[in-house]
Structures are given as structure tokens and as C-alpha cells.
Amino acid sequence: MKKSPPATFHPVSTPDFLPRERLEELQLQRLKAIVRRAYDHVELFRKRMNERDLEPGDIRSLADVAKLPFTVKTDLRDTYPFGLFASPMKDIVRLHASTGTTGKPIVVAYTREDIGVWENVMMRSFAACGLHAGDVIQNAYGYGLFTGGLGAHYGAEALGATVIPISGGNTQRQLMVMKDFGATAICCTPSYFLHLVEQAPELGIRLKDLPLRAGVFGAEPWTESMRRRIEAESGIKAYDIYGLSEIIGPGVAMECRCQSGPHIFEDWFYPEIINSETGKLCADGEEGELVLTTLGKQAMPMIRYRTRDITALASEPCECGRTLRRIKRIGRRSDDMFIIRGVNVYPSQIETALLKVEGTLPHYQIILTRDQGLDEVEVQVEVTRDVFGDTIGAVDQVRHNLCKSIESLTGLRVNVRLVQPQTIPRSEGKAKRVVDQRKM
Ligand SMILES: [Zn+2]
């Protein structure tokens, strides 16, 4: 283990290189304090601790985390709006909320200290992928109640980079600004960036001629095939950032320049992987549901929060020298899984299968229907104009290859419909991959 970061690294990244032993001491010290805080100030947590006959003093080692009760998303909804706050409103300087499509949103809170932690992890996120003062970061995450915009904003400013707070949407203006302001990096969802890539030529812009060199992409699951497609078409490096509002927002984990999975900022977020059915801890390297405990969040401590994201922890050293463990790219959420004729399928499997076939574009939608009790899947995928310009036989061949590719990856026979470029609705935020029209 290296004791200090190599000289070429940005000084803000120093905590990324702590010796494991030192890091674990720090984690334990913070864990004890946060459990005490949650116990003293959050009724639901205290109640669950009491039910287990546990007191904050019972937490003596990091392994004792496993004794603590889980927190789940419905806890946030059930205590809407402020029931999980551990600070009085006079100490809370910011509220954010999810834009729930159904029912009440979930609300999250920050003290000034929490905002400081958030700024710190976002600053380290940008530094991890090689950004620094002098970079011009176009922040196309939505500003507002969504945590993406302001989270990235503060981190980029703290790094000393120049921020363009353009927010999401308005594709033409995004591209004009990207070119005229000389953006060197962009933050948005990977699907929105693909949309920008696609629209650029219509404005006479060649992305490969611009100074843009890095994309910090997150807020939706995406695959390695999607990364390769983005990089080939835009000439930039695409980095995966991970976060969720319940924990802090973006900046829970971020890839370094090795692009081998996001490093978790473990000094602030304690990760575990559990079997989502049994709730038991998984063995090292085994895949399961990511559970996170916030080690420093004052306004709203989250103890063993079940993220529903499926991943695995990688403990082997990264070439960059960071001692922080990595998570495997999150290509799927247990929430996104759909069951068709008894088979569990994730949109990311379909995505990987599609992008293997030449002539396809990275825009697709999965339509689920039910006909006389039988589930049907139709995958609509855009293909290049060349495919349609080809003979009917060639079109059929592409469709056949797609069906084969999907079947070999998921074991599922699906109907594939090839559609013209620009047919699938584009999203300015998170892409909608699955349309479930089955009547329950
Ligand atoms: Zn690394």
C-alpha cells in the first residue's frame, strides 16, 4: 500500500490514498458517532434498535454494522417529509427531494457540514478522472430539487474549475455553449449525452474537433458496451459516477482514470453487499445488493440503507494507487428487473445484446404487453439509415441477429422491431427503457 498519493495527483485526493488501517480507524470513529446521533434524534431508528435490544455502545467494531437494522426507501416515504431528520430546521441549510412519479417524493436534508462533505466528495470525483482548475465543466444535470445539478456544481467550483450551470435540456443551446465556451468536460446522464452526440452534426458541430475530453455520467444504469459506443462516437473518455439522494446525491463513488469501476469514498460512506432475499452479508467479491451507511451525515444519517443496486465490491488494488475499494459498474437495479414468462430480465442485458450487433444505435425501448394471459416482449431498436437503405434480406438479417443475441444473453425469445433513427423518445434526464403495458 502506498502511504501517500503519487506526486502527479491532485492534493484534494489525499484521503483516497489513506492506508487501509488508518481508513478503518476513521470509519469506526465516525460510525460510532453517527449511530449515537441517529439513536438520539431519529425515533424510527431508536425504536428499531430497542427492538433488537441494541444500544449505540454495542457498536465496537466495523463488523458490528451487520447488527444494525436496515433502512429502506419506504421508510423515507412513511416518515414524509421530515421524520428521519436528526437536526432541527435551524441547522438545516438545504432540502432536496426526488421527483417521484407516484405519490409523495422523498425529502433529504443537509446541514452546512453535510454540504461541505458533499462538496468534498464531488471535488474528489472530478479530480479522480483528471479534471482540475482550468477545466471548463458543462453541468447538464438538472438544477433544482434533484441533487445532480447542485451537487456537481459545488464540487466543480471547489476544485477551482469553471462551471457552466446550464442544467438539463435545450439540446441546441447545450451544443452551442459546449462549442463556444470551450467546455472540456460534461456532466449528464449517458443517454442524454448520446442524444447530444447525435444532434451535433445537424448544427454543423463535430464533437471530435472540440476540446471536450471527459464525461462524468451517472444517474441511470449503463453498460460497458454503452461506454465503448459513447467513446468511439465522441472521442471523449466516459467515466461512471455513482450516487443517490438518500445517501448524499452524486459523489458516493467515482471512477478514476483506469475506468475499472467507481471507487467508493469510504471515509464517508460505509459499503456492504447483501443477498437481497435473505439480508445476509455476501462473501467478498460476490454480487448482491449494495447497502450504504453514511458516516458523516448530520441532518439525515442513513444507517444500512438498501440501495436496490446490484453490484459487487472489488478489494484488489487499482492501478491508480487509491486504497478505496471499487464497486462493479452498476448495470442494474433490482427495481428495474422485469419478469417475463418466469425469466428475470434486466434492461442492461438487452442493452448489451443489442450493442453487439452491427448497424444498431444505442437507443431502444422494451415494451411489455399481455395477450390472453401471455406475456410478450417487443424490443424496439433504432438502426442506422444504412440498414434501411439495404435490401429487405439485409434488414431481416439484422433483426434475426438481434433476436439471437438477446436470446443467447437472456434465454428469452422476443420480438424485435427495427425503427428509423430518432424514433425512440429521447429523455433529457433518465432514459425510460421499459414500458410495461401489462394489465395487472
Ligand atoms: Zn483507481
Side-chain angles (χ1 to χ4, degrees), residues 27-95:
Q27 285 180 311
L28 180 59
Q29 180 197 333
R30 287 179 174 163
L31 174 72
K32 287 177 174 173
I34 209 71
V35 168
R36 163 62 66 188
R37 183 176 182 82
Y39 186 82
D40 288 347
H41 300 287
V42 183
E43 198 190 322
L44 180 74
F45 182 68
R46 186 167 53 245
K47 192 175 134 258
R48 287 183 180 164
M49 288 283 279
N50 291 339
E51 280 164 10
R52 284 171 173 70
D53 225 359
L54 276 175
E55 282 180 357
D58 296 327
I59 303 306
R60 296 188 196 93
S61 69
L62 286 177
D64 288 337
V65 171
K67 295 178 180 169
L68 296 168
F70 291 117
T71 308
V72 293
K73 194 165 200 159
T74 47
D75 293 334
L76 282 93
R77 296 199 201 284
D78 295 346
T79 55
Y80 175 87
F82 306 146
L84 295 183
F85 289 9
S87 299
M89 203 54 92
K90 71 174 176 49
D91 295 335
I92 289 173
V93 299
R94 180 104 62 82
L95 298 173

Side-chain angles (χ1 to χ4, degrees), residues 164-431:
I164 308 172
I166 192 162
S167 196
N170 202 335
T171 301
Q172 293 210 346
R173 192 182 53 175
Q174 296 276 358
L175 286 161
M176 181 193 78
V177 162
M178 184 187 290
K179 175 166 176 273
D180 295 348
F181 294 10
T184 57
I186 184 163
C187 307
C188 58
T189 57
S191 57
Y192 187 59
F193 184 69
L194 271 169
H195 180 55
L196 292 174
V197 170
E198 200 174 58
Q199 293 297 308
E202 310 210 349
L203 297 176
I205 295 174
R206 261 179 58 93
L207 285 188
K208 288 184 178 169
D209 296 340
L210 301 185
L212 194 75
R213 68 171 204 278
V216 177
F217 299 131
E220 68 186 14
W222 53 309
T223 57
E224 201 54 40
S225 337
M226 186 68 98
R227 165 162 33 213
R228 283 195 294 272
R229 195 62 81 94
I230 287 175
E231 292 189 339
E233 284 181 19
S234 66
I236 71 165
K237 285 277 179 205
Y239 297 97
D240 190 13
I241 189 165
Y242 174 73
L244 60 169
S245 302
E246 298 91 313
I247 296 302
I248 203 155
V252 172
M254 171 65 184
E255 279 188 324
C256 67
R257 293 170 86 169
C258 305
Q259 293 179 304
S260 52
H263 287 279
I264 304 186
F265 295 109
E266 288 181 274
D267 50 333
W268 293 115
F269 312 110
Y270 184 81
E272 297 167 274
I273 302 287
I274 62 160
N275 178 314
S276 30
E277 319 259 283
T278 64
K280 295 259 185 304
L281 281 181
C282 287
D284 234 12
E286 198 184 327
E287 199 168 79
E289 180 180 342
L290 178 66
V291 172
L292 291 166
T293 296
T294 56
L295 296 174
K297 203 128 173 289
Q298 302 299 306
M300 199 170 161
M302 277 289 131
I303 310 289
R304 302 195 86 199
Y305 183 72
R306 294 186 58 160
T307 64
R308 319 301 291 170
D309 290 317
I310 307 296
T311 183
L313 278 176
S315 315
E316 40 308 345
C318 182
E319 272 175 44
C320 73
R322 280 178 175 75
T323 51
L324 303 171
R325 284 180 294 173
R326 285 163 291 150
I327 42 176
K328 225 176 85 184
R329 289 168 64 75
I330 291 170
R332 58 205 180 101
R333 311 205 61 209
S334 54
D335 293 352
D336 294 336
M337 188 187 80
F338 54 92
I339 302 176
I340 285 289
R341 295 172 226 141
V343 181
N344 297 352
V345 187
Y346 289 93
S348 58
Q349 292 174 295
I350 306 263
E351 179 175 305
T352 305
L354 293 178
L355 292 178
K356 281 187 178 160
V357 176
E358 201 162 333
T360 57
L361 296 169
H363 297 286
Y364 65 96
Q365 208 159 43
I366 302 160
I367 318 284
L368 310 178
T369 52
R370 183 167 289 163
D371 185 25
Q372 298 177 348
L374 261 179
D375 289 339
E376 291 293 335
V377 191
E378 180 178 89
V379 178
Q380 300 183 349
V381 56
E382 290 183 9
V383 290
T384 58
R385 290 207 167 82
D386 297 350
V387 170
F388 280 115
D390 234 318
T391 60
I392 295 189
V395 175
D396 278 343
Q397 190 60 48
V398 170
R399 188 184 305 118
H400 175 77
N401 292 346
L402 284 167
C403 290
K404 275 271 179 246
S405 181
I406 294 171
E407 192 181 344
S408 75
L409 233 95
T410 63
L412 205 66
R413 281 170 191 265
V414 304
N415 304 316
V416 170
R417 188 146 75 92
L418 306 184
V419 298
Q420 297 277 358
Q422 307 287 339
T423 318
I424 310 274
R426 302 296 194 257
S427 158
E428 288 176 349
K430 302 180 193 201

